[in-house]
Amino acid sequence: MYHRKMAYGSIENGLIRTTIISIVVVVLSLTFIFGFWGDLFPFSKVAEFLTNINSKLLDAVEIILLILTYAFALIFVAMIREWMREVAGWIEVIGLGVIVVILAGVLFSWIHALITFVGCALLVTYLYFVQKEE
């Protein structure tokens, strides 16, 4: 009985740790996204550096940050649902995707939104097919 309690406690700690890591990654990604969009001081220097390397590199970094935001927001929601002993459904998956794609379109361009949509769809497809049948 003591062994079971320890195993459950470690699962609980893993959920909390994963949730915190997900929140931190989402906040950092959104900070960079809004920093690039708003042309804020430290981010404007990074944007200038990336643009000097390649004119499309900044766009690629913005899209990667948007997809990372989606992925880790999805992990965050899944961990919360797991903690509540439920399973995250398609409403959360699609809802978060719509929010991130709208964010990409409003802040950057429709090209960013389209590529972000494709990246999020590929991520969801990957996650769907790697799940075990239970």
Side-chain angles (χ1 to χ4, degrees), residues 38-84:
D39 202 28
L40 301 175
F41 166 63
F43 303 104
S44 63
K45 293 296 182 188
V46 173
E48 182 182 337
F49 174 74
L50 293 173
T51 306
N52 286 338
I53 294 174
N54 188 341
S55 62
K56 297 297 179 188
L57 187 58
L58 179 61
D59 293 333
V61 168
E62 291 165 347
I63 291 167
I64 289 169
L65 286 171
L66 287 161
I67 294 171
L68 274 177
T69 301
Y70 174 73
F72 281 93
L74 192 61
I75 292 170
F76 170 73
V77 169
M79 290 297 104
I80 295 297
R81 295 294 296 261
E82 178 77 20
W83 183 70
M84 296 179 353

Side-chain angles (χ1 to χ4, degrees), residues 59-128:
D59 293 333
V61 168
E62 291 165 347
I63 291 167
I64 289 169
L65 286 171
L66 287 161
I67 294 171
L68 274 177
T69 301
Y70 174 73
F72 281 93
L74 192 61
I75 292 170
F76 170 73
V77 169
M79 290 297 104
I80 295 297
R81 295 294 296 261
E82 178 77 20
W83 183 70
M84 296 179 353
R85 304 276 191 246
E86 297 174 358
V87 176
W90 285 107
I91 293 173
E92 290 92 351
V93 172
I94 294 170
L96 286 172
V98 167
I99 290 169
V100 170
V101 169
I102 289 173
L103 185 68
V106 169
L107 295 182
F108 299 111
S109 70
W110 66 273
I111 297 289
H112 280 76
L114 180 66
I115 296 171
T116 300
F117 171 76
V118 170
C120 292
L122 289 173
L123 177 71
V124 169
T125 303
Y126 170 74
L127 292 175
Y128 180 77

Side-chain angles (χ1 to χ4, degrees), residues 3-17:
H3 181 66
R4 251 191 208 162
K5 198 171 191 179
M6 289 295 290
Y8 179 74
S10 65
I11 291 172
E12 186 89 10
N13 289 339
L15 288 174
I16 292 170
R17 184 176 51 248

